[in-house]
Each structure stands twice: as structure tokens, then as C-alpha cells.
Amino acid sequence: MKIPMCFRAGLTLLAMGLCVSQGEVIWLEGEAGETALPVSRHGWGQTGHLSGGNWLNLNVDADKVEATLPAEGGIIRWPFTVQEAGRKQVWLRIGYEFARSAFSWRLDDGAWTRVEPKTLTEDLQPIEFFCEVAWLRVGEAQLAPGAHTLEVRFQPERNRENKLNRVLFACDAICMAETFRPDGWRRPGDPAVRDARDRAAAAHVFRVPSAAA
């Protein structure tokens, strides 16, 4: 059977993409974040949509922001260790689509990068009425072997009426990998999260005929 060249090329690229080594994957649980801020570390609603059933949640009413956040901003930190050097995409699984507060993030002592509330996420799932969780790719980083820290910062911000905004944020998980395709709470490459349908699909291998076929 002759396969059109454009179709063969597409299949070749697909096969290459599936066989690329993922390298080391860094996965951090949101609720493991270190902070002096008044956070909760448990889930609610459809906790089956959360990694481990929990997440880190920060909810500070507007009238308490001034007393809760330092002027330079309140920070949540996630220390982690890298075994293999490499360039990684940085993804955060966060809550409250559009309603979340603006925040900034950085790795180690790098520059802060701001993330706006209306920045669109991917793979959104509702866990309760007016409460969602979704993945957001915030950037990339070259990581050397050794100890690192990812930080998220919240600063007091005022609205058009010059009143302080409340602070609202939730983090379920953080993933740093060479490439990452969001799939809910599932960790990339972890066989433990596969169900029977996943294992059955993996057993089917499709081979592309050679150009001479």
C-alpha cells in the first residue's frame, strides 16, 4: 500500500515525538509549599480532581490584606533538588480561573515574572461551584544539578477605587519537564496512574510501512 509522502512525514514526526526521552521530571505538591502566610492545605469538593486529594489555598479578605501581606509581598516557596541538568518547561496547576489574584514567580534568585489573573490556563476541571483547577505554563528554565527553590509572590494591590483587593490563590501541583502535556492530576510517565484502558492502548503498536511498501 502506498502512503502519501505528506502522511508518511506526519506519522514519522508523531513517532519521533512519542519516542523522545522525557528526562528528569520534577513534580511538587502544592500543599508542600513553605510560607508564613495563612494557607490551608486540604482539598474540598471533587477532591478526586486534585493530586493526592489536597492543594494549597490562600484566601485573604481585602480588609485583612494590609495586616497579612508585607509591603514587599508575601511568598510561598517550594524547595526541590535536580539530578540531571536540562531545560524545563515550568507548569503550575492553579485554581480560581480569572478570579485568582495576580502573582509573580521566580526560580532561585532570578527575576520575578508576573502572571495576570486573565492569563488563560489549560486542561481546566471544576471541583466545586465557581472553583476550578487548571494547568498554566508560566515559563521555562535551565536547571543545573543541585538544590533549587521556586517562589510565588503576592503583593498588596489596589483597584480603581484605591481599595485593596483580596488575595485569592490555590496551587495543586507544580511540574517541570522537558515537555509536558497536561492531563489532570496525573504525573507524566507515572505507570501508577494508568488504568486498564491506558494499558490496553499501550499494548497496540502501529508500525508505519517503509516508503518502498
Side-chain angles (χ1 to χ4, degrees):
M1 178 183 69
K2 293 290 185 179
I3 301 177
M5 182 61 70
C6 61
F7 187 59
R8 289 205 304 269
L11 289 173
T12 301
L13 289 172
L14 176 61
M16 290 174 61
L18 291 174
C19 295
V20 170
S21 173
Q22 175 71 316
E24 183 180 11
V25 174
I26 307 298
W27 183 277
L28 309 173
E29 290 294 335
E31 62 271 18
E34 300 174 355
T35 184
L37 298 173
V39 298
S40 66
R41 303 174 188 273
H42 59 83
W44 64 83
Q46 299 186 62
T47 55
H49 290 330
L50 299 175
S51 176
N54 294 309
W55 66 353
L56 179 144
N57 185 69
L58 174 65
N59 188 350
V60 181
D61 291 336
D63 61 348
K64 295 182 176 63
V65 167
E66 201 164 27
T68 303
L69 291 187
E72 65 275 13
I75 293 177
I76 305 172
R77 298 179 176 87
W78 288 268
F80 63 96
T81 302
V82 171
Q83 302 297 330
E84 305 170 4
R87 189 159 189 83
K88 306 292 186 184
Q89 298 176 0
V90 182
W91 292 76
L92 274 62
R93 193 167 192 239
I94 55 179
Y96 305 115
E97 192 79 353
F98 294 149
R100 67 177 184 267
S101 298
F103 65 91
S104 300
W105 76 279
R106 72 175 181 180
L107 279 165
D108 302 324
D109 295 322
W112 291 101
T113 299
R114 182 178 170 89
V115 178
E116 299 292 342
K118 292 188 178 181
T119 302
L120 290 175
T121 57
E122 299 181 32
D123 191 39
L124 183 144
Q125 292 180 305
I127 62 171
E128 201 168 77
F129 188 63
F130 280 129
C131 184
E132 309 86 9
V133 61
W135 284 101
L136 178 63
R137 179 176 172 177
V138 295
E140 294 188 0
Q142 181 68 35
L143 295 175
H148 297 272
T149 301
L150 186 146
E151 295 180 315
V152 169
R153 181 181 66 180
F154 307 89
Q155 295 178 291
E157 298 194 357
R158 295 182 179 273
N159 57 30
R160 294 179 181 178
E161 298 175 349
N162 201 33
K163 295 181 179 180
L164 285 169
N165 294 322
R166 74 167 176 171
V167 177
L168 185 64
F169 176 79
C171 181
D172 178 42
I174 298 167
C175 183
M176 285 169 270
E178 291 176 12
T179 58
F180 176 57
R181 185 179 66 182
D183 184 20
W185 52 267
R186 296 170 179 81
R187 304 185 185 198
D190 186 351
V193 302
R194 286 181 162 187
D195 60 21
R197 291 176 299 176
D198 295 325
R199 292 189 289 272
H204 290 278
V205 178
F206 297 91
R207 301 190 182 280
V208 180
S210 65

